[in-house]
Amino acid sequence: MWLLLLGVFAARAGLCLEPAEQLARDILEQLVDVNTADSAANVTAASEAMAKRLRDAGFPDADIHVDGDDPRFKNLVVRYRGSDTAKPMLLVAHLDVVEALRSDWSLDPFHFLEKDGYFYGRGTVDDKAEAACWIANLIRYKQEGFVPSGDIIVALTSGEESGEHNGVEWLVRNHRDWIDAGLALNEGGDGAIRNGQKVANYVQASEKIYYSVELKATNPGGHSSVPRNDNAIYELAGALLRVSRHQFPAELNPVTQTYFERTGKIGKGKIAAAMRKIAKHPHNRRAIKTLSADAHENAMLRTTCVATRLAAGHADNALPQTATALVNCRILPEDKPDEVLRSLREVVNDPKVEVTAVTKPRIAPASPLTPEFMQAVEQTTNEIWPGVPVIPTMSTGATDGRALREIGIPCYGLSGFFLDEDDNREHGRDERIPVQSFFDGQKFLYLLVKRLSS
Ligand SMILES: [Zn+2]
């Protein structure tokens, strides 16, 4: 009896784990202990450590690549051979992490620590947890003799957070054959815990298009003691005010329609009611107005353009000769960047203010929510967390999934790691993941990949 009880307590404290869980925990610890922030230039050490584990587990050298555009920022790609009846599946996670300063944290960010039911350290959520699960699960498939229908490829990459060495882009350009797949899974969707309850398992299926525009007013200038009637700063300020008042039309796509429908069902209050309404009636004006007042839902609903930089003038006592502003747009995947530019010109409506694009938009289609894929995610979610809905989302920011979607590989961001909505520490201090969420996520990814490749 005592022994039995002891066993239960030990399991809760993380001391008595299944072999697969122990392996994932060991890998996570190993990865967190390597500082892979851009400034440390040490991603290769993490890739090499994973390559060694794979070789020790019996993966042939020929199926393991450690390579990249810089000796310090190498990526790891490993291929687990399937029966070749289906296209390969690609499992992606990034090894690099956001910078972390010891002085900002209450703990050492680059030392893995288990405390009070959490794993602490930079990367425990973003994105070393998923990297550790991909490797641990791949080793487990091999140990179990599982033969997937198509090859399973794991790519652990560099440069997602910052720096010049984006591994996914590099692989797409230089070694497409290593990563070519019919389907990719990546970070970008987590589970949500609200008031202690698991409320949703999110799947990121598309993202907005990043596009920047410059507004520029010029003027001959002169002495500020003799102001002219026209003034570059005033003209630019007027143009920016008009941009700030402009709202692009609200539009739904299949991903956001399902997002609003299902998110509306798990929430309470005005916003949730508006979500349910708009999912049925995309042009309902009251629902659009309510959702537009919320920064996040507004960004899900429409293309947005916002001023992010401003520069003008060259001396305290001179009339400004140039005034420029950068306006950063996040465009719905269905909208055309050229049309957004044309709209901005119309809104600015001043021949003295030039409006020009400064970034080349990269357009990646939304990944389709096919019944086959969604059912696999829903069944797996239901097995582990009965009743928790799967909710597709569109990222308002940009992720590595874009580079894969661009070349025609449908990519879905998911993890099954449930995190408290009010305690998101990604990119922040004392980053942590609940121990139970980590192991549940590992199980979810293990079952899902198996289901998708059986
Ligand atoms: Zn990340």
Side-chain angles (χ1 to χ4, degrees):
M1 179 68 173
W2 278 111
L3 271 178
L4 209 77
L5 272 175
L6 213 65
V8 172
F9 283 125
R12 289 234 165 145
L15 298 170
C16 180
L17 302 170
E18 300 279 326
E21 292 176 331
Q22 186 65 51
L23 178 62
R25 184 195 187 280
D26 289 348
I27 294 174
L28 181 62
E29 174 166 7
Q30 186 176 26
L31 289 175
V32 170
D33 284 349
V34 183
N35 178 352
T36 51
D38 194 56
S39 62
N42 205 20
V43 174
T44 302
S47 286
E48 290 289 7
M50 295 303 103
K52 179 172 186 322
R53 281 187 178 271
L54 292 160
R55 281 193 295 267
D56 291 350
F59 285 80
D61 260 333
D63 289 341
I64 302 170
H65 302 281
V66 177
D67 207 348
D69 67 349
D70 183 297
R72 300 164 304 164
F73 293 92
K74 288 186 181 175
N75 311 280
L76 169 93
V77 181
V78 56
R79 180 175 295 258
Y80 181 53
R81 303 276 167 183
S83 69
D84 245 359
T85 52
K87 277 187 168 177
M89 184 182 343
L90 174 63
L91 311 176
V92 184
H94 61 88
L95 286 172
D96 65 307
V97 292
V98 175
E99 304 286 343
L101 296 179
R102 177 68 185 90
S103 53
D104 289 341
W105 283 47
S106 71
L107 315 152
D108 179 352
F110 301 107
H111 179 65
F112 178 86
L113 177 73
E114 178 174 352
K115 199 174 125 217
D116 306 331
Y118 291 91
F119 293 143
Y120 283 87
R122 177 56 93 220
T124 45
V125 175
D126 185 11
D127 184 28
K128 288 178 170 173
E130 194 149 33
C133 290
W134 292 145
I135 296 293
N137 290 349
L138 202 67
I139 290 173
R140 184 174 168 193
Y141 295 138
K142 187 167 178 65
Q143 286 166 346
E144 292 173 348
F146 171 61
V147 182
S149 52
D151 295 352
I152 298 174
I153 305 162
V154 172
L156 305 186
T157 61
S158 68
E160 193 274 344
E161 299 289 2
S162 59
E164 303 292 304
H165 310 283
N166 185 285
V168 173
E169 304 271 358
W170 184 81
L171 287 165
V172 163
R173 277 198 311 274
N174 298 283
H175 291 284
R176 177 141 178 204
D177 54 318
W178 292 357
I179 55 153
D180 221 0
L183 172 80
L185 304 180
N186 186 22
E187 65 167 350
D190 294 318
I193 297 175
R194 187 179 296 167
N195 304 322
Q197 301 290 317
K198 294 185 178 72
V199 291
N201 192 12
Y202 288 106
V203 178
Q204 183 241 46
S206 78
E207 60 186 69
K208 292 176 97 175
I209 303 162
Y210 184 102
Y211 186 61
S212 284
V213 166
E214 186 188 65
L215 271 54
K216 185 176 184 182
T218 50
N219 190 283
H223 203 288
S224 62
S225 63
V226 193
R228 305 158 48 99
N229 284 335
D230 53 356
N231 178 301
I233 289 179
Y234 294 156
E235 280 145 17
L236 181 68
L240 286 174
L241 259 182
R242 290 189 289 280
V243 169
S244 78
R245 291 187 193 121
H246 178 70
Q247 234 178 12
F248 285 86
E251 289 168 76
L252 298 192
N253 57 46
V255 173
T256 55
Q257 194 269 342
T258 317
Y259 163 82
F260 282 125
E261 182 197 318
R262 295 186 185 182
T263 311
K265 281 189 198 151
I266 61 164
K268 292 193 189 88
K270 250 172 53 181
I271 300 242
M275 287 178 171
R276 293 192 296 270
K277 187 81 174 170
I278 203 166
K280 278 198 193 130
H281 308 284
H283 301 293
N284 184 281
R285 288 187 24 207
R286 281 227 338 245
I288 290 173
K289 198 174 162 204
T290 304
L291 295 173
S292 301
D294 179 279
H296 179 260
E297 306 317 333
N298 181 56
M300 293 292 278
L301 206 54
R302 55 167 54 88
T303 291
T304 61
C305 292
V306 65
T308 54
R309 283 174 178 272
L310 194 58
H314 57 282
D316 289 358
N317 55 0
L319 296 169
Q321 286 186 257
T322 60
T324 60
L326 191 108
V327 171
N328 182 241
C329 300
R330 303 299 177 120
I331 302 177
L332 288 176
E334 301 71 34
D335 284 357
K336 302 265 181 298
D338 282 350
E339 280 167 27
V340 171
L341 181 64
R342 215 177 54 218
S343 301
L344 284 175
R345 283 182 180 141
E346 278 169 27
V347 170
V348 164
N349 191 26
D350 183 345
K352 282 186 258 165
V353 180
E354 259 183 89
V355 183
T356 49
V358 292
T359 52
K360 211 168 158 260
R362 296 181 49 181
I363 296 161
S367 301
L369 303 174
T370 58
E372 191 195 11
F373 178 76
M374 288 303 284
Q375 275 163 20
V377 179
E378 279 162 359
Q379 277 173 18
T380 311
T381 300
N382 246 291
E383 269 174 44
I384 306 175
W385 309 286
V388 172
V390 171
I391 302 187
T393 62
M394 172 183 71
S395 280
T396 53
T399 73
D400 269 349
R402 175 188 65 189
L404 299 171
R405 293 188 183 111
E406 258 180 349
I407 59 165
I409 302 177
C411 181
Y412 302 91
L414 49 74
S415 69
F417 299 135
F418 278 76
L419 306 170
D420 196 310
E421 284 184 331
D422 295 326
D423 185 35
N424 187 337
R425 301 186 182 193
E426 277 178 63
H427 295 209
R429 78 191 288 268
D430 297 350
E431 184 176 341
R432 66 182 188 180
I433 187 169
V435 172
Q436 196 58 50
S437 292
F438 175 70
F439 291 128
D440 285 353
Q442 180 193 9
K443 188 171 162 196
F444 169 75
L445 297 172
Y446 170 83
L447 292 173
L448 177 66
V449 168
K450 218 169 164 176
R451 181 165 264 144
L452 287 167
S453 58
S454 290

